[in-house]
């Protein structure tokens, strides 16, 4: 698991906030750097006189040191000269919404970019709320970049639709290409991977995180691992745990053997433990390892062989002095877990969220993990398991507890008890994602007081509208305490029974909140108004199944240009309200997504709106109506 | 994440007369006006009188928006994975109940709980005992989350994008036929509207895709079995069909040969014949 990238959340790296954009104002053109800018973003200024040129050169040399994009955005607004200089020195281009700006405009302004980060679909697409074919195609960006950035080294995409042809274009257009990271992307297959492997001779990172490869028939699957150059490679990271098809293991082993720089390797579940052992032997310098299957290979059920594998595995881990991150653990057999003891003390990241292990199986492992900072686990470990975590992992910064049964009426193995225990033991906690069925305000309040470093608080009470299970009250007080006490909070996801009061709290205290996720909450328009009027830093707001209608939507008019997007589905919006917003904010793209063509024209089932310099996109499918 | 199709339309219970707004409840009146005023007082202040009232009158509050428990299951099978009707359309059919009541098992909702699909199949993985080897699950397939689902591709003439159906979700040919109609009706209409010059705004009628099984309709449902032969759907017992069908197709009935090559087997009308 590539920790910095697996979430690519902007909250944890502190680099979030305003991404590259022009200055906004309702019914103004994008002012940006100087009015000389033409519509297409092409510079029409005459070149500056000589002395100014010297100044700009000096400026460029200084501005090179600015890394954080927020700082760069600020610098670019000082004056035209600074804007130009900044544009010449920006090395990493971050586009938080691929439709907010046209590829041409971006590449025209920033000429010397080496690294591009591009995000596409709204997050609710992960939960099947965005119909297939909605958009976020990488192709136009690939073409624009191929033309503009021959020295491009790095591309990181999140929730984009990428075709194999796009990958081919990358491979052929960028001779210095080093780093391809794809998070939650879809549309490509092994053929695209093969071209990358074959043509990108300087490739250092090929990291596929939760990507959905196209389904391929068996005879269509390409043996992409074999396509890497036969000489020593410069590979540092290879992650393909989400690839569904098998890979050629011999080729993989040979690849690992000739990649002395390899530090991060995450294999898919087809790789068995004996194969894992062989890989670890080839790469004792690994720092991040994602295991495949972690149980006895089906073919070797003989007792003797099983013992041998266990012993091999233990020795392999004992020899891997550098491992600080472990993930994978698909199909785990608990008797293999002890093999990882030798590395536990060094672990800063442990992701066993695919392993159904009990508290008793977890305890001996976690007991060794004093240095753990990031821990992802399944709720099968129960509150008891979490108590063990709290007892040992004093440096824990990020915890994610996923449900084994992700259904509303599932039993739920963790509760307020586990949350309270974590808050007692892990005072440095910064980020938590917690799925449960039972929660109390008290436990949440306790966490708000104990964990003052919280930046991300995402609590998902799976049953809809569930109150505090002891007092039967709404969960307003708990979430209220979180926004009140956790001054560094930038990301919040709420759940459970919530009235407008919870939103009043958020509006009053959530002054740093940038991302808010709401589901099945609130009583009336007032709730949403509180948030839109109270949270000045709000960037991303996603709401589902909450009774917010047109008046609430209109109350945010002053805010929408400051935000990256607003998503609302199954609320109480009508086409009139959305039209109203669209008319008053010409630089806002208002998309109404209709699942059923014959549905009532008045109600708006799904609304996705975002500021954009590019205007309505021309690749919208028939079920998207842009107002 | 495919929704199960049960056939028929969702039942919509509209307990809110004449589409009045949520907060417009008889007993609230002035309190409602107050609550719309934007004041951020903390609990205990008069701002919260509305909320307090709700708490003291649980019977009333059970029909207020904050306590919507059940929404009738949406059974549309359009291009998305289903859109649930907004919560304005349905109210818990039992008006009593305090805030304490946990809603009884509600119809599943798209995308809730918010877990990405590749994580969803974990419970289906058989956790092995110490001795026996683990069974590997196919948990990573996108949009195929039914643990024992049998998804087959289905394409329709004239529609470039295919779909998938879970044969195990149905127990009869009629239900499958209805599902196919639901799946493609919207896409077919969209495809046909592309052909029109977009001058006709009024045509919103949807043409039901019917007669799939008896060759009476414009389209006919056929399938490809495990031997690669193309067969008409409907000849063999349902269970046998489910176990042998590998792909489905919805063909224009006019494209089928007048006389089949062999019973059940289908040929295509060629240009010569």
């Amino acid at each position: 698991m590539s920790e910095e990238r697996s979430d690519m959340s902007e909250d944890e790296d502190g680099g979030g906030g305003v991404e590259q954009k022009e200055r906004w104002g309702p019914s103004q053109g994008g002012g940006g750097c100087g009015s000389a800018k033409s519509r297409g973003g092409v510079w029409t200024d005459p070149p500056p006189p000589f002395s100014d040129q010297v100044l700009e050169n000096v400026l460029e040399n200084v501005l090179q040191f600015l890394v954080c994009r927020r700082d760069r955005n600020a610098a670019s607004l000082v004056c035209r000269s600074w804007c130009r200089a900044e544009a010449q020195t920006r090395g990493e281009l971050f586009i938080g919404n691929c439709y907010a700006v046209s590829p041409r405009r971006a590449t025209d302004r920033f000429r010397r970019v080496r690294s591009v980060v591009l995000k596409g679909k709204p997050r609710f697409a992960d939960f099947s709320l965005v119909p297939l074919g909605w958009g976020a195609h990488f192709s136009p960006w690939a073409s624009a970049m191929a033309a503009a950035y021959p020295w491009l080294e790095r591309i990181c995409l999140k929730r984009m639709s990428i075709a194999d042809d796009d990958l081919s274009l990358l491979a052929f257009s960028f001779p210095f290409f080093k780093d391809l990271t794809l998070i939650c992307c879809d549309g490509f297959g092994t053929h695209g991977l093969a071209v990358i492997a074959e043509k990108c001779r300087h490739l250092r990172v090929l990291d596929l995180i939760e990507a959905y490869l196209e389904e391929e028939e068996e005879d269509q699957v390409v043996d992409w691992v074999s396509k890497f150059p036969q000489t020593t490679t410069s590979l540092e990271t290879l992650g393909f745990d989400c690839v569904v098809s098998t890979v050629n293991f011999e080729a993989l082993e040979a690849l690992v053997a000739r990649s002395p720089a390899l530090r991060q390797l995450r294999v898919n579940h087809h790789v068995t433990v004996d194969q894992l052992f062989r890989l670890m032997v080839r790469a004792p310098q690994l720092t991040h390892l994602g295991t495949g299957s972690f149980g006895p290979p089906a073919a070797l059920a003989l007792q003797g062989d099983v013992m041998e594998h266990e012993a091999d595995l233990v020795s392999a881990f004992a020899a891997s002095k550098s491992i600080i991150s472990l993930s994978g653990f698909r199909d785990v057999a608990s008797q293999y877990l002890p093999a990882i003891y030798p590395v536990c003390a060094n672990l800063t990241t442990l992701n066993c969220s695919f392993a159904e292990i009990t508290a008793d199986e977890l305890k001996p492992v976690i007991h060794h993990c004093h240095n753990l900072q990031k821990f992802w686990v399944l709720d099968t470990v129960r509150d008891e398991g979490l108590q063990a975590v709290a007892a040992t992992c004093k440096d824990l910064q990020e915890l994610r507890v996923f449900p084994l049964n992700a259904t509303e009426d599932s039993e739920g193995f963790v509760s307020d008890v586990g949350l309270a225990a974590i808050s007692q033991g892990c005072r440095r906690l910064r980020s938590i994602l917690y799925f449960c069925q039972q929660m109390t305000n008290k436990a949440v309040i306790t966490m708000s007081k104990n964990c003052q470093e919280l930046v991300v608080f995402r609590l998902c009470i799976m049953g809809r509208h569930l109150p505090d299970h002891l007092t039967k009250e709404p969960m307003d007080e708990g979430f209220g305490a979180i926004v009140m006490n956790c001054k560094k909070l930038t990301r919040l996801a709420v759940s459970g029974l919530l009235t407008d009061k919870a939103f009043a709290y958020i509006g009053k205290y959530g002054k740093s909140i940038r991302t808010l996720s709401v589901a099945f909450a609130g009583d009336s328009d007032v709730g949403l108004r509180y948030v839109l009027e109270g949270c000045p830093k709000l960037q991303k707001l996603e709401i589902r199944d909450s009774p917010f209608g047109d008046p609430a939507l209109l109350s945010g008019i002053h805010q929408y240009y400051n935000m990256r997007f607003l998503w609302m589905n199954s609320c109480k919006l009508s086409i009139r309200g959305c039209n109203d917003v669209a008319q008053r904010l010409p630089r806002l793209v208002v998309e109404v997504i209709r699942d059923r063509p014959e549905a009532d024209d008045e109600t708006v089932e799904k609304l996705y709106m975002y500021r954009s310099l590019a205007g309505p996109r021309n690749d919208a499918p028939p079920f998207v109506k842009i107002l | 994440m495919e929704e199960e199709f049960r056939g028929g339309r969702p039942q919509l219970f509209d307990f809110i007369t004449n589409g009045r707004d949520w907060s417009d409840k008889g007993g609230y009146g002035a309190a409602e006006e107050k609550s719309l005023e934007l004041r951020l007082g903390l609990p205990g202040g008069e701002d919260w009188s509305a909320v307090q009232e709700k708490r003291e009158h649980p019977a009333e509050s059970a029909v207020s928006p904050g306590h919507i428990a059940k929404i009738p299951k949406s059974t549309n099978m359009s291009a998305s994975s289903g859109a649930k009707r907004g919560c304005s359309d349905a109210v818990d059919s039992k008006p009593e109940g305090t805030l304490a009541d946990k809603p009884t098992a509600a119809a599943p909702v798209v995308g809730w709980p918010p877990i990405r699909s590749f994580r969803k199949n974990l419970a289906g993985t058989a956790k092995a005992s110490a001795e026996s080897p683990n069974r590997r699950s196919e948990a990573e397939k996108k949009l195929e989350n039914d643990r024992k689902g049998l998804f087959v591709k289905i394409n329709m003439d004239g529609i470039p994008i295919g779909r998938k159906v879970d044969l195990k979700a149905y127990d009869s040919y009629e239900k499958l036929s209805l599902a196919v109609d639901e799946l493609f009706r919207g896409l077919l209409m969209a495809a046909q509207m592309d052909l029109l010059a977009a001058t006709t705004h009024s045509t919103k009628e949807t043409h039901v895709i019917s007669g799939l099984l008896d060759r009476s309709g414009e389209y006919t449902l056929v399938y490809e079995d495990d031997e690669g032969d193309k067969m008409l759907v409907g000849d063999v017992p349902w269970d046998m069909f489910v176990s042998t069908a590998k792909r489905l197709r919805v063909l224009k009935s006019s494209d089928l040969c007048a006389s089949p090559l062999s019973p059940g087997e289908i040929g295509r009308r060629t240009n010569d014949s």
Side-chain angles (χ1 to χ4, degrees), chain A residues 262-332:
Chain A
L262 194 67
R263 294 286 177 276
Q264 303 195 23
L265 177 66
R266 293 190 338 267
V267 300
N268 67 11
H269 69 283
H270 291 291
V271 172
T272 58
V273 281
D274 55 322
Q275 291 175 330
L276 183 71
F277 165 70
R278 284 160 63 179
L279 294 175
M280 290 176 75
V281 164
R282 299 282 186 185
Q285 76 282 7
L286 285 179
T287 57
H288 295 62
L289 176 65
T291 74
S293 158
F294 211 67
L300 296 157
L302 301 174
Q303 197 64 16
D305 283 353
V306 165
M307 294 290 276
E308 198 182 290
H309 285 300
E310 280 181 52
D312 280 343
L313 211 52
V314 173
S315 70
F317 277 101
S320 301
K321 306 265 184 259
S322 316
I323 288 185
I324 58 168
S325 165
L326 276 182
S327 61
F329 300 108
R330 310 276 169 143
D331 312 320
V332 71

Side-chain angles (χ1 to χ4, degrees), chain A residues 294 326 329 332-347 349-352 357-372 375 377 381 385 388-389 392-393:
Chain A
F294 211 67
L326 276 182
F329 300 108
V332 71
S334 50
Q335 76 269 26
Y336 278 42
L337 279 179
I340 71 171
Y341 290 171
V343 300
C344 285
N346 294 330
L347 282 184
T349 299
L350 177 59
N351 176 2
C352 46
I357 51 180
T358 63
D360 287 334
E361 288 161 344
L362 176 68
K363 281 184 196 172
V365 173
I366 211 72
H367 185 64
H368 292 89
C369 300
H370 308 280
N371 290 314
L372 210 56
F375 185 49
V377 70
V381 300
V389 173
T392 312
C393 306

Side-chain angles (χ1 to χ4, degrees), chain A residues 100-122:
Chain A
V101 64
S102 73
R104 181 67 197 276
R105 184 168 184 154
T107 54
D108 277 351
R109 176 174 170 190
F110 301 103
R111 304 279 190 154
R112 301 215 192 126
V113 163
R114 301 270 157 128
S115 163
V116 173
V117 177
L118 194 53
K119 293 189 178 181
K121 296 175 207 162

